[in-house]
């Protein structure tokens, strides 16, 4: 699924995308979503995207490159 563009989507569409993208699959050994989030809630991590301030891609790249250990 491709993240909705900020300019052409609503807040609700972006929120729904984040909820679907990071929905628990119940198969932790192969999923990796929780590991990527490092203990954070997806809606918190992507709040700027949901509100239309920053792109999904920019936030994802920054988070991947942050190198911070697990945190809450």
């Amino acid at each position: 699924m491709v993240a909705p563009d900020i300019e052409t989507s609503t807040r609700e569409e972006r929120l729904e995308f984040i909820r679907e993208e990071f929905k628990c699959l119940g198969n932790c050994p192969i999923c990796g979503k929780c590991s990527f989030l490092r203990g954070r809630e997806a809606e918190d991590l992507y709040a700027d995207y949901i509100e239309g301030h920053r792109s999904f891609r920019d936030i994802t790249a920054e988070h991947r490159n942050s190198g911070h250990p697990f945190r809450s």
Side-chain angles (χ1 to χ4, degrees):
M1 183 184 253
V2 176
D5 188 69
I6 290 173
E7 289 81 24
T8 59
S9 64
T10 65
R11 180 188 185 283
E12 291 74 25
E13 290 170 328
R14 294 187 297 273
L15 178 58
E16 182 61 27
F17 170 78
I18 294 300
R19 287 179 175 165
E20 282 297 313
E21 187 70 14
F22 291 98
K23 179 172 53 175
C24 181
L25 301 177
N27 195 348
C28 295
I30 65 167
C31 175
K33 292 178 183 184
C34 292
S35 178
F36 173 77
L37 292 172
R38 298 185 215 146
R40 295 184 68 184
E41 293 293 326
E43 290 178 35
D44 293 337
L45 178 62
Y46 287 98
D48 281 348
Y49 168 68
I50 293 166
E51 296 303 325
H53 302 298
R54 296 178 61 204
S55 74
F56 177 82
R57 177 178 277 195
D58 287 347
I59 294 169
T60 300
E62 181 181 283
H63 186 67
R64 274 193 184 131
N65 296 325
S66 68
H68 291 288
F70 287 83
R71 60 184 173 190
S72 52

